[in-house]
Amino acid sequence: MSEVLDVSKTQLEGVLLIKPLTNFEDFRGGFVETWHQEAYEKAGIDVKWVQDDLSWSHQHVLRGFHGDWKTHKMVCCPYGRLWVVILDAREDSPTYGKSQGFAVTMSNRYQLFVPPGCAMGHVIMSELGMLSYKQSQYYDRDSQFTIKWDDPRFNVYWPVQNPILSLRDKEGI
Ligand SMILES: Cc1cn([C@H]2C[C@H](O)[C@@H](COP(=O)(O)OP(=O)(O)O[C@H]3O[C@H](C)C(=O)[C@H](O)[C@H]3O)O2)c(=O)[nH]c1=O
């Protein structure tokens, strides 16, 4: 049975920070539940996930910002240390244009619940970093939007100034 979730609001409308309390560690290693339907429902998070993803990157790789208008995401870091930034791209949101960064790491086990219309970017702070995220919609590249990591309109803080980027992220296309 899962422990009670520690769910807190963030500076961004609808984005939640979750600190799973099943942080079990012993001399062998550790264990954490990353989803428990009943416990998350009790915490007000009731989403049917249809896809689970793992993305791994080398130090200072930055992926994003990417988002779409339909998909909820549940994000965590199974390995390494990430700096994850969520940017509210919803023009009708009270926090439109605002961003918030989070250290999401294997050791803190933090999860982020990200609603549609919020773009996500992350940069790897460890030698190797893995992002794991659940999606409520199947991947559809054509329905995604991209915002440049350093778009001057949003003045986002990043702990890395010269990240390693894909062409898509370099061009913001
Ligand atoms: C997202 C996704 C990608 N792919 C394939 C498509 C490409 O052949 C390859 C890499 O895709 P892409 O370069 O778009 O991946 P990222 O730039 O890391 O972006 C993706 O992963 C970061 C972490 C995000 O946060 C984005 O939401 C997501 O778009 O994986 C799939 O087959 N299924 C998928 O759900």
Side-chain angles (χ1 to χ4, degrees):
M1 178 57 188
S2 169
E3 315 245 335
V4 175
L5 285 178
D6 174 349
V7 179
S8 40
K9 291 184 179 173
T10 65
Q11 295 164 18
L12 305 175
E13 181 80 16
V15 177
L16 301 173
L17 176 66
I18 299 142
K19 301 176 185 173
L21 293 187
T22 49
N23 287 347
F24 177 79
E25 280 201 20
D26 66 10
F27 63 94
R28 299 165 299 169
F31 179 91
V32 63
E33 287 180 358
T34 54
W35 182 253
H36 186 292
Q37 186 65 33
E38 190 183 309
Y40 281 73
E41 256 179 46
K42 271 192 196 142
I45 300 171
D46 181 12
V47 176
K48 179 177 183 295
W49 306 113
V50 297
Q51 188 175 314
D52 227 337
D53 308 300
L54 283 180
S55 160
W56 57 94
S57 312
H58 304 292
Q59 193 159 29
H60 296 165
V61 165
L62 191 156
R63 296 177 187 250
F65 290 102
H66 307 149
D68 69 38
W69 304 106
K70 294 183 298 183
T71 308
H72 286 82
K73 293 179 183 170
M74 181 68 83
V75 178
C76 73
C77 172
Y79 183 83
R81 288 181 293 113
L82 313 178
W83 182 259
V84 180
V85 181
I86 307 299
L87 170 62
D88 190 347
R90 300 165 295 183
E91 292 185 3
D92 60 350
S93 162
T95 53
Y96 169 65
K98 293 200 180 315
S99 63
Q100 186 172 358
F102 304 87
V104 179
T105 70
M106 177 177 162
S107 49
N108 69 22
R109 282 107 162 156
Y110 286 179
Q111 289 178 304
L112 287 170
F113 178 71
V114 184
C118 284
M120 176 169 71
H122 73 281
V123 66
I124 311 303
M125 301 309 286
S126 44
E127 201 173 317
L128 182 72
M130 192 175 270
L131 181 89
S132 166
Y133 59 108
K134 303 177 188 312
Q135 297 181 198
S136 64
Q137 301 286 325
Y138 293 113
Y139 172 64
D140 171 13
R141 175 67 181 84
D142 295 338
S143 66
Q144 287 194 346
F145 61 81
T146 307
I147 296 173
K148 274 194 80 181
W149 69 286
D150 60 350
D151 187 319
R153 290 176 296 171
F154 304 117
N155 189 26
V156 176
Y157 165 75
W158 290 101
V160 172
Q161 294 315 305
N162 298 298
I164 300 163
L165 301 161
S166 66
L167 180 65
R168 169 188 179 181
D169 292 341
K170 226 175 244 160
E171 308 287 323
I173 46 175

